[in-house]
Amino acid sequence: MRDDEVLGEFGRRIRGTRLEAGLSQEELAHRVGLHRTYIGSVERGERNIGLLNIAALATVLQVDASTFVTGLRRSSAGPRA
């Protein structure tokens, strides 16, 4: 998958899990300690968020963090430093 596809699929998984939990973006953001617009941009695949934020989302949504990333693979890891 291209990077934008990975981010888009990740965001769809966050949104789906949030909706299953019956939470608005605003309520999820409040519980996680992030801004609502940040949650929205993650769900739209516009942000490459950090591991601690992924863990915080998983905790609030009461799922394992792997729910959001299982099976996601980049087409290319790009250059290594």
Side-chain angles (χ1 to χ4, degrees):
M1 298 176 117
R2 295 185 327 258
D3 288 355
D4 63 325
E5 294 171 323
V6 171
L7 293 172
E9 178 57 28
F10 177 83
R12 283 187 287 280
R13 292 177 186 190
I14 296 288
R15 178 182 291 123
T17 306
R18 174 181 60 77
L19 293 173
E20 286 176 11
L23 297 175
S24 66
Q25 286 181 347
E26 186 172 12
E27 181 61 27
L28 177 59
H30 175 73
R31 292 184 187 188
V32 176
L34 299 170
H35 197 275
R36 178 194 54 79
T37 59
Y38 183 85
I39 297 294
S41 64
V42 169
E43 289 185 354
R44 289 188 302 276
E46 297 171 353
R47 290 192 182 263
N48 181 12
I49 72 171
L51 178 58
L52 294 178
N53 286 339
I54 294 170
L57 287 164
T59 298
V60 168
L61 292 169
Q62 298 182 337
V63 297
D64 191 277
S66 66
T67 302
F68 305 133
V69 298
T70 298
L72 296 181
R73 296 175 192 258
R74 292 175 74 186
S75 298
S76 167
R80 295 185 183 235

